[in-house]
Amino acid sequence: MEVTNPAGFQNRFLATGIISQLLYGVFYDSENYHSIDYIRLIYGLILPVVWYGYTLGRRMAGNRIVRIDGRKVDIGTMILRNIVAGIFYILTLGIGLIVSAFMIGGREDKRAIHDFIAQTYVTTDPPSKTQ
């Protein structure tokens, strides 16, 4: 399947910032961890599965997660995307995250390392009627 209308860095950052603003009262807070982060992790794993790749922040920013093969994201896809990729970013001491930011900014398909791990991409296209 072809990557169509990939969401760029600003759009993806906005989706994360919206949720951070709603939960913590600041646009983006990567310095402090809160007990609600566990709820946020579960929310980030489950909501895209039941809501066509959207989370609340993604919906408001106008982007969603989709699989490269065109199928709906499932819990396995979201675990790969969030947990396995998160472990990778920790093991690389954040260098993988920096590389991912450059990938989103520089690649035509706007795919980051976590997108390659989970075989996904982020698009601004709405879900098709077949999904």
Side-chain angles (χ1 to χ4, degrees):
M1 181 173 197
E2 181 180 326
V3 173
T4 59
N5 296 320
F9 184 80
Q10 298 87 349
N11 187 279
R12 291 167 74 145
F13 184 75
L14 178 63
T16 304
I18 289 170
I19 289 300
S20 183
Q21 180 70 40
L22 291 172
L23 292 175
Y24 311 122
V26 294
F27 185 73
Y28 192 73
D29 185 7
S30 64
E31 296 290 319
N32 301 309
Y33 294 99
H34 306 274
S35 59
I36 200 163
D37 286 337
Y38 296 111
I39 295 169
R40 183 174 161 183
L41 174 63
I42 294 168
Y43 158 87
L45 289 174
I46 295 184
L47 194 58
V49 172
V50 299
W51 200 19
Y52 304 102
Y54 290 114
T55 60
L56 182 60
R58 287 190 182 286
R59 180 72 176 172
M60 293 191 329
N63 69 53
R64 67 190 188 94
I65 303 164
V66 295
R67 289 175 50 141
I68 287 291
D69 62 11
R71 296 188 336 222
K72 185 178 173 188
V73 294
D74 58 19
I75 195 69
T77 301
M78 295 311 298
I79 287 171
L80 284 171
R81 185 174 163 75
N82 293 341
I83 296 175
V84 174
I87 291 168
F88 173 78
Y89 292 144
I90 289 168
L91 291 175
T92 61
L93 304 174
I95 294 171
L97 190 59
I98 294 167
V99 169
S100 283
F102 279 103
M103 290 171 69
I104 294 168
R107 290 179 55 88
E108 188 175 325
D109 63 5
K110 310 295 183 199
R111 292 177 72 204
I113 293 171
H114 54 271
D115 290 311
F116 282 95
I117 290 171
Q119 295 299 300
T120 60
Y121 70 100
V122 178
T123 185
T124 57
D125 287 340
S128 67
K129 294 184 183 201
T130 60
Q131 287 184 329

